[in-house]
Amino acid sequence: MPRTASKPKKKRSKPYTVTSSDTVSVPSASSETKKSSKEKDGKYKLFNKYANASSGVIDPEGIEKLCSKLKVSHTDIKILMLAWKMKSERQGYFTKAEWRRALKALKVDTIKKLKKALPELEQEVRKPLNFSDFYAYSFRYCFTDEKQNCVDIETICQLLDMVLGSTFRDQVDHFVNYLKIQNVYKVITMDQWMGFYRFCNEIIFPDMTNYSLELAWPSILDNFFEWMREKQA
Amino acid sequence: MASRQNPKPMTIDEGSVHIDPAVNKLKRILEGKPEPDFLPGEYIGNYTTIYNMCIQKPPHDQSQELYDKYGGIFEDYAKHTVLPSIMEKHDEYMLRELSRRWDINKIMVRWLSRFFFYLDRYFTVRRSLPSLTEVGMTSFRDHVYNNVHFNVKQVIIALVHKEREGQQIDRALLKNVLDLFVENGMGSIKRYEDDFEDFFLQESASYYSRRSSRWIQEDSCPEYMIKAEESLKKEKERVAHYLHSGTEPKLVDIVQTHLLVLVAKQLLEKENSGCSALLRDDKTDDLSRMYRLYHAIPKGLEPVAAAFRLHVTAEGNALIKQAEDAATSGSVEEQVLVRKIIDLHDKYMAYVMDCFQNDTLFHKALKEAFEIFCNKKVAGSSSAELLATFCDNLFRKAGNDKSNDDSTIESTIDNVVKLLDYISDKDLFVEFYRKKLARRLLFGRFNDDHERSILTKLKGQFGGQFTSKMEGMVTDMQLAKDHQTGFEEHIKNLPKGVDFTVTVLTTGFWPSYKTSDLNLPVEMVNCIESFKAYYAIKTNHKRLMWIYSLGTCNLTGRFDSKPIELIVSTYQAAVLCAFNNTDILTYQELLEQVNLSHEDLVRVLHSLSCAKYKFLNKQPASKTISKTDTFEFNSKFTDKMRRIKVCMRKFKKKKKEKTKLIMIVVKQVPLPPVDDRKKVVEDVDKDRRYAIDASLVRIMKSRKVLPHQQLVSECVEQLSRMFKPDIKMIKKRIEDLITRDYLERDTENPSTFKYVA
């Protein structure tokens, strides 16, 4: 993003500065660029700490380093949420722009601050409106090439655990079980993925008394439902 | 002073002196007592007396008094004479007296109102009073009728009961009396209804209720129905003879309710004589009666139709089971089964037309019954397949045996089309039929008329798309003949080669056959090339694909003892001809030279060296072919026949078929039925998936937005002409279309779909 953007920027709290005002005074262009360059430096410094020098992006190794610094596991949902926040396009890699986007939105520029911001981020993402967007994003994040539109079962099982495990433990456990046992489906489509989320939200579990095969649920959930019923009998 | 111009005004009492005798005279006449009739003079005199009294100037105008007197005459007469004379009698006698008195009253009214006529001219009109006739009739009603009708009604009902029990009664009398009831309603039917009809209907109801309780216990269903029919007939007659016509619908309703409706279940389900028993025993008369009786009752036929449907279904199921039990080694005798089903259909269709008067309810029941058992599988084969096999055998026999009557074939074809209507997997039938048709056309003799006839009928019933491929196939055969003639013309002038017949098939119409890269003997290659050249002249842009697997050849084997003509498949010919140049060849060499697949080559060699006729000697002489074997032309071979047909075995041995003389495209040994069937079913399933996709896209394109349920039901509806789609499959196809971005779910309402342009 060019440094000399003409849009008035909100005043941000700079590191080590005394003031942090909430007024929306439009600072002069020069002072603004000075401030933003300072801030950007902070973020970029942080970025460069973890980025691969030759490729210019944070690669999986860098992410692992980052995670250990943040004291979260790299399979922790918060990392995925961070990726969502930065609209990261490629799993395992963070570009400079993406990094900046996230840190800017979170208003942080040090590891310490980032670490503190993560729980807040999680709260924000868990809000229903955000979460369904995040949920869809997490599916697309698994694509490894452009034309891809579905994800293999194994990856799905892990992803479900990560993304829905804390809120819908029961459903996820059973569904993952089912996915592993069945052999009709080798991949999951976006429609099926979103369908499962709706299922968790709308269907009473494990009774499933309000589920019906006549409705428009994806067939995989119909099969899941029948499988559950058989088990319960 | 009295004068002619101004006679002294007469008082009513004075007038009565003249009037009363006339009235009494009238009474005596009417009562049948000996009395001379009124002379014209007397008549006029009576009239004039009254007239004069009326025109007297007020206050002497006696109109009111005369009017009252007139009424009084009737009242008096009614109270003192008429009523007592009726009341002192009983039963029929009372009725007669009443009837007599009624007639008398009518005449009396007529006469007296003529005497008193002048009153009606001005007095009653001006004062808006009831007319003289009205007064006379009302008087009877009030003073006579109102007092006697209760007892009279009792008598009538008792008489009706007597008649119902079989005794004769005086119908004319009852008619008179009941007409009396009607007329005493003074224009309204209410007196008849309240004073008689209501009681009568009540009595009839309890009468028939008792009857039906007794009959239902004692009688069988047919017997009961005959009695019921008889009762209805009698009651209608009763109405015609002496009841008011308005009573008929009410009476019929009561009789039907008590005799038929309330006991319907008991009656129809009577063991050994109820509906199912009648169907079982083919009692068409009783069934017709049952229809007649229950037809008039709203919804009365539903239980009968239900019993009919159950019965036909049971019969059909029995036939299916019979066929299953009789099926040996998985092969069903479909000729027998289909004929039996056709006969069953004819039999019960006759029932529907005759006994059940072509009623739509019964057509529907028959259809539903057939749809149930006609879609059952028999020993693993679907009904679609069985029907196709049936047709195949029908046409094969007809093709070979000219003695088979054309009209019976036609009627059988009609029956087949009817049966097909009940089968839901029509597309499966088309596939099987097509495969068998191909074999018939290519390998057997076929009757063009019959083939076209059934296709025309199928087209008429199910539409052009249904039969387009098959029609194409039949047309191809005709074109092939033309091509062949043209080709023979063409090569007439070329040096004589090998006799060569080609049948050109249009891909798309015919089932798919696999091709192979066979290396032909050089003589055959020349034939192929010359035909190719000819064909290229005749047509443009058409590529020929040669199907050697379907061909046959006639070879002359020059054996030591004598030459023998061999009729073999093209594959076999290729292998044999390889020995034209060398006597011995190894398996590998043959493989390279002929270029068949291992599977095919093994089969061919087996048929030539290990089967009945050993044209080749095999080293080692085992019963199976192995890749290290060597083969030598067996010049020592001989047989008493001059011509031998050699069939090729496939790995699973099935019955052999005759081979024919036409070259290149000829019957081959058929594939094992089980594999064939599986492939056909797979192909049909694949086509169904495309059909469902196309249907879904078509629907969504026009509707743009549609909830799930509706989409599914419209799709099923659209496809029902060819097959019954599986709901699960439809769901899967919808999801597939979502993934392919033809459809999407509505974000607000995920059970509604939107078309993605």
Side-chain angles (χ1 to χ4, degrees):
Chain A
M1 202 154 111
R3 286 185 173 190
T4 50
S6 53
K7 268 203 296 192
K9 296 185 184 161
K10 274 200 282 196
K11 222 168 185 227
R12 273 185 255 103
S13 56
K14 293 188 296 180
Y16 309 122
T17 51
V18 182
T19 45
S20 78
S21 73
D22 285 342
T23 55
V24 197
S25 58
V26 182
S28 64
S30 53
S31 62
E32 182 49 43
T33 33
K34 251 202 279 183
K35 280 188 197 152
S36 50
S37 61
K38 247 204 191 150
E39 288 156 11
K40 277 189 194 146
D41 276 342
K43 293 188 188 60
Y44 284 153
K45 253 202 221 142
L46 207 52
F47 181 77
N48 290 329
K49 249 185 157 178
Y50 298 97
N52 180 314
S54 50
S55 61
V57 297
I58 302 181
D59 62 10
E61 214 182 289
I63 292 184
E64 257 206 77
K65 262 192 357 201
L66 175 68
C67 288
S68 65
K69 263 299 177 139
L70 291 171
K71 302 259 180 22
V72 293
S73 147
H74 71 269
T75 52
D76 192 309
I77 193 175
K78 296 199 260 291
I79 294 298
L80 187 56
M81 289 179 173
L82 182 64
W84 172 77
K85 197 71 184 170
M86 68 173 71
K87 300 203 207 301
S88 163
E89 297 199 354
R90 193 172 160 212
Q91 195 179 91
Y93 296 84
F94 295 157
T95 66
K96 214 183 220 175
E98 291 168 357
W99 177 259
R100 202 181 141 270
R101 184 180 295 135
L103 266 61
K104 186 171 157 189
L106 292 173
K107 303 184 181 138
V108 300
D109 56 2
T110 63
I111 278 296
K112 233 175 147 185
K113 286 191 189 152
L114 181 57
K115 186 158 163 212
K116 262 180 92 180
L118 285 182
E120 289 168 21
L121 172 64
E122 183 171 353
Q123 262 193 347
E124 182 200 338
V125 177
R126 286 209 181 272
K127 292 197 197 129
L129 269 174
N130 288 332
F131 194 79
S132 57
D133 188 61
F134 167 70
Y135 182 79
Y137 170 81
S138 61
F139 184 82
R140 287 193 301 270
Y141 201 51
C142 299
F143 295 168
T144 47
D145 75 67
E146 244 186 57
K147 299 245 171 72
Q148 197 171 341
N149 64 354
C150 46
V151 180
D152 65 282
I153 293 285
E154 208 181 306
T155 312
I156 289 292
C157 292
Q158 291 170 356
L159 193 61
L160 277 174
D161 188 55
M162 189 204 282
V163 166
L164 295 179
S166 49
T167 36
F168 298 112
R169 185 77 261 157
D170 246 1
Q171 287 92 321
V172 169
D173 281 343
H174 282 102
F175 192 55
V176 162
N177 236 355
Y178 169 72
L179 287 176
K180 292 201 169 127
I181 290 181
Q182 62 82 38
N183 48 18
V184 176
Y185 299 95
K186 309 273 191 298
V187 293
I188 296 291
T189 64
M190 176 61 95
D191 185 54
Q192 289 162 327
W193 174 252
M194 297 308 290
F196 183 68
Y197 179 58
R198 275 200 331 265
F199 178 88
C200 292
N201 278 317
E202 293 176 28
I203 303 294
I204 307 167
F205 202 79
D207 305 327
M208 299 185 293
T209 45
N210 57 343
Y211 189 90
S212 161
L213 293 167
E214 316 273 306
L215 298 175
W217 295 102
S219 311
I220 192 173
L221 292 176
D222 286 343
N223 294 348
F224 173 57
F225 170 76
E226 284 172 334
W227 178 79
M228 285 288 295
R229 280 279 179 260
E230 258 178 60
K231 278 208 339 180
Q232 287 162 345
Chain B
M1 191 148 106
S3 72
R4 270 203 100 178
Q5 250 68 11
N6 283 322
K8 190 164 135 242
M10 221 191 285
T11 63
I12 188 68
D13 294 326
E14 286 162 0
S16 299
V17 169
H18 296 270
I19 295 170
D20 289 347
V23 173
N24 289 333
K25 181 178 165 107
L26 178 61
K27 284 181 190 170
R28 281 198 299 279
I29 293 176
L30 292 179
E31 286 177 4
K33 302 205 173 99
E35 182 74 35
D37 278 332
F38 280 103
L39 298 166
E42 286 174 296
Y43 180 95
I44 291 177
N46 293 329
Y47 178 87
T48 314
T49 312
I50 290 166
Y51 171 83
N52 286 337
M53 287 205 277
C54 288
I55 62 165
Q56 283 164 186
K57 294 243 180 349
H60 305 290
D61 171 6
Q62 302 291 313
S63 298
Q64 181 68 53
E65 288 78 0
L66 284 168
Y67 187 73
D68 294 336
K69 182 177 177 65
Y70 174 85
I73 293 173
F74 281 96
E75 191 174 334
D76 213 53
Y77 189 51
K79 281 186 175 159
H80 296 127
T81 313
V82 181
L83 185 60
S85 80
I86 295 172
M87 300 281 276
E88 76 187 1
K89 305 215 166 48
H90 303 279
D91 304 325
E92 243 179 282
Y93 301 104
M94 171 161 68
L95 297 190
R96 280 189 209 288
E97 187 59 24
L98 171 62
S99 184
R100 178 172 157 251
R101 287 290 171 187
W102 172 249
D103 291 338
I104 289 176
N105 190 67
K106 282 198 262 193
I107 301 174
M108 195 162 134
V109 167
R110 214 171 33 231
W111 278 82
L112 284 184
S113 62
R114 280 183 202 154
F115 290 167
F116 285 72
F117 176 68
Y118 199 72
L119 287 174
D120 259 347
R121 272 203 84 183
Y122 294 107
F123 179 71
T124 56
V125 175
R126 279 205 195 117
R127 302 276 183 103
S128 299
L129 291 167
S131 70
L132 296 178
T133 310
E134 254 185 272
V135 170
M137 304 307 279
T138 314
S139 183
F140 186 91
R141 184 193 68 195
D142 293 343
H143 304 296
V144 179
Y145 175 80
N146 280 349
N147 293 321
V148 300
H149 71 72
F150 188 83
N151 293 337
V152 169
K153 171 248 318 168
Q154 303 283 76
V155 173
I156 297 176
I157 287 183
L159 285 172
V160 169
H161 184 89
K162 232 169 109 177
E163 193 184 42
R164 283 182 174 150
E165 293 292 296
Q167 299 187 43
Q168 290 256 33
I169 60 171
D170 185 344
R171 286 179 151 181
L173 173 62
L174 285 192
K175 181 157 177 49
N176 284 341
V177 174
L178 287 173
D179 281 346
L180 192 163
F181 273 66
V182 175
E183 282 177 70
N184 272 286
M186 307 278 178
S188 149
I189 197 70
K190 224 172 152 336
R191 293 316 295 262
Y192 169 81
E193 285 175 356
D194 295 344
D195 301 336
F196 168 72
E197 198 188 51
D198 287 348
F199 296 98
F200 169 71
L201 292 174
Q202 223 171 25
E203 167 64 29
S204 306
S206 53
Y207 179 78
Y208 279 105
S209 168
R210 289 196 303 276
R211 284 268 127 138
S212 87
S213 317
R214 205 176 77 215
W215 290 345
I216 199 78
Q217 299 288 343
E218 299 173 347
D219 298 323
S220 70
C221 174
E223 285 168 0
Y224 184 100
M225 288 201 292
I226 290 177
K227 288 187 182 168
E229 206 174 34
E230 192 58 37
S231 303
L232 275 169
K233 187 160 144 243
K234 289 227 175 83
E235 293 301 327
K236 286 189 188 158
E237 241 183 275
R238 182 159 294 119
V239 172
H241 279 117
Y242 53 83
L243 298 174
H244 185 260
S245 59
T247 307
E248 183 169 334
K250 301 176 197 173
L251 183 59
V252 165
D253 184 60
I254 284 184
V255 177
Q256 278 179 274
T257 307
H258 287 278
L259 286 186
L260 298 172
V261 175
L262 295 177
V263 297
K265 202 165 143 68
Q266 255 181 299
L267 182 65
L268 297 175
E269 291 178 10
K270 244 181 193 277
E271 231 183 286
N272 297 328
S273 69
C275 201
S276 8
L278 295 177
L279 285 165
R280 190 188 62 216
D281 300 333
D282 299 324
K283 301 270 196 243
T284 45
D285 284 339
D286 294 322
L287 286 169
S288 307
R289 178 168 301 111
M290 189 180 274
Y291 180 83
R292 279 199 303 274
L293 287 174
Y294 279 92
H295 173 67
I297 298 171
K299 299 211 179 184
L301 287 171
E302 281 173 17
V304 185
F308 180 64
R309 188 185 64 238
L310 282 171
H311 177 81
V312 176
T313 312
E315 296 259 296
N317 282 337
L319 289 182
I320 302 283
K321 181 148 193 321
Q322 225 175 42
E324 275 222 355
D325 294 339
T328 43
S329 62
S331 113
V332 181
E333 285 167 33
E334 80 285 330
Q335 289 297 101
V336 174
L337 177 62
V338 174
R339 286 260 170 230
K340 283 196 181 156
I341 295 182
I342 289 178
D343 290 340
L344 191 76
H345 191 257
D346 285 341
K347 175 176 173 187
Y348 286 110
M349 184 53 94
Y351 273 46
V352 173
M353 307 280 272
D354 300 332
C355 304
F356 301 128
Q357 317 260 14
N358 222 358
D359 191 311
T360 41
L361 201 61
F362 288 85
H363 273 290
K364 186 159 168 270
L366 186 71
K367 181 168 185 281
E368 283 170 5
F370 268 77
E371 276 173 358
I372 291 176
F373 68 83
C374 280
N375 284 306
K376 284 200 166 161
K377 280 201 160 167
V378 187
S381 309
S382 62
S383 51
E385 186 189 347
L386 292 178
L387 198 59
T389 314
F390 176 80
C391 291
D392 189 49
N393 284 328
L394 181 72
F395 292 133
R396 275 180 198 279
K397 277 194 278 200
N400 295 337
D401 172 17
K402 289 294 175 195
S403 69
N404 220 323
D405 190 32
D406 261 356
S407 63
T408 37
I409 302 266
E410 283 301 313
S411 71
T412 311
I413 292 179
D414 285 331
N415 281 323
V416 165
V417 175
K418 272 187 235 161
L419 279 192
L420 188 58
D421 206 21
Y422 298 126
I423 295 178
S424 46
D425 289 342
K426 299 188 195 2
D427 55 351
L428 198 58
F429 169 82
V430 171
E431 266 317 289
F432 277 112
Y433 187 85
R434 209 160 67 102
K435 288 242 152 65
K436 294 178 200 282
L437 176 65
R439 278 206 273 271
R440 278 205 302 282
L441 294 177
L442 298 177
F443 304 144
R445 263 171 290 181
F446 66 94
N447 182 319
D448 197 56
D449 293 329
H450 290 153
E451 299 291 350
R452 287 204 186 271
S453 165
I454 189 174
L455 289 180
T456 315
K457 294 193 170 147
L458 287 174
K459 186 154 81 166
Q461 184 78 356
F462 303 112
Q465 227 193 350
F466 196 84
T467 52
S468 58
K469 285 187 188 168
M470 301 182 279
E471 285 184 313
M473 285 162 73
V474 176
T475 314
D476 267 355
M477 295 312 290
Q478 188 57 46
L479 292 177
K481 263 198 240 158
D482 295 339
H483 272 299
Q484 183 63 25
T485 329
F487 176 61
E488 277 166 11
E489 257 306 307
H490 175 85
I491 58 167
K492 200 164 63 172
N493 307 319
L494 299 176
K496 202 86 167 77
V498 178
D499 272 333
F500 183 56
T501 313
V502 179
T503 312
V504 181
L505 315 175
T506 314
T507 12
F509 291 158
W510 295 76
S512 36
Y513 299 108
K514 58 175 189 172
T515 55
S516 66
D517 258 332
L518 181 66
N519 277 341
L520 291 171
V522 68
E523 301 89 340
M524 295 192 207
V525 172
N526 291 337
C527 299
I528 302 282
E529 290 305 318
S530 62
F531 184 82
K532 261 195 191 154
Y534 162 76
Y535 194 71
I537 301 173
K538 279 287 161 179
T539 58
N540 270 329
H541 312 297
K542 293 221 179 129
R543 201 168 61 89
L544 284 174
M545 209 167 62
W546 294 89
I547 304 176
Y548 302 118
S549 53
L550 296 178
T552 47
C553 297
N554 288 29
L555 303 176
T556 312
R558 298 190 197 287
F559 301 105
D560 291 343
S561 47
K562 67 173 197 276
I564 299 180
E565 192 180 347
L566 305 175
I567 300 165
V568 294
S569 75
T570 312
Y571 285 5
Q572 289 166 319
V575 168
L576 286 174
C577 288
F579 289 89
N580 276 345
N581 303 320
T582 41
D583 278 338
I584 301 182
L585 284 164
T586 65
Y587 180 91
Q588 280 300 122
E589 288 169 333
L590 275 170
L591 188 67
E592 275 164 47
Q593 201 174 339
V594 168
N595 202 25
L596 279 172
S597 69
H598 276 293
E599 202 184 310
D600 287 333
L601 184 59
V602 166
R603 257 191 343 192
V604 170
L605 287 172
H606 190 278
S607 67
L608 298 174
S609 62
C610 307
K612 185 173 176 193
Y613 304 109
K614 294 185 172 43
F615 307 117
L616 301 175
N617 286 329
K618 190 171 80 81
Q619 295 293 344
S622 55
K623 275 290 171 187
T624 51
I625 310 287
S626 71
K627 300 190 183 162
T628 52
D629 289 344
T630 323
F631 298 89
E632 185 185 359
F633 178 67
N634 182 10
S635 54
K636 301 265 181 288
F637 176 82
T638 192
D639 192 272
K640 64 177 177 4
M641 303 292 280
R642 285 186 165 274
R643 181 197 278 173
I644 299 177
K645 289 182 194 150
V646 185
C647 298
M648 268 216 306
R649 273 193 202 171
K650 297 275 174 150
F651 283 121
K652 293 197 178 117
K653 181 176 172 196
K654 289 293 160 188
K655 58 180 177 12
K656 298 186 184 146
E657 307 237 356
K658 295 194 298 242
T659 56
K660 270 193 65 177
L661 283 176
I662 299 178
M663 300 236 190
I664 294 297
V665 183
V666 159
K667 172 190 321 202
Q668 63 170 86
V669 176
L671 291 169
V674 177
D675 286 358
D676 218 4
R677 179 190 302 156
K678 223 169 71 166
K679 176 133 196 322
V680 172
V681 172
E682 272 171 24
D683 286 343
V684 170
D685 264 345
K686 216 175 5 158
D687 289 339
R688 284 183 180 180
R689 259 177 270 148
Y690 294 139
I692 294 176
D693 278 359
S695 169
L696 287 170
V697 171
R698 226 186 355 252
I699 296 170
M700 286 309 293
K701 200 164 176 190
S702 82
R703 314 287 238 102
K704 301 287 186 242
V705 179
L706 204 57
H708 172 84
Q709 302 270 53
Q710 262 175 272
L711 179 59
V712 171
S713 60
E714 274 198 39
C715 182
V716 169
E717 167 82 38
Q718 261 196 20
L719 297 169
S720 61
R721 293 189 87 203
M722 289 304 283
F723 65 98
K724 208 156 92 168
D726 180 32
I727 305 285
K728 280 196 172 174
M729 206 198 264
I730 295 184
K731 244 192 167 181
K732 282 223 174 77
R733 299 322 299 161
I734 293 178
E735 281 166 42
D736 194 64
L737 288 172
I738 293 177
T739 312
R740 280 150 60 195
D741 286 328
Y742 280 89
L743 306 177
E744 62 183 5
R745 285 187 199 262
D746 184 38
T747 36
E748 308 283 307
N749 192 352
S751 59
T752 300
F753 300 105
K754 296 200 328 221
Y755 181 69
V756 178

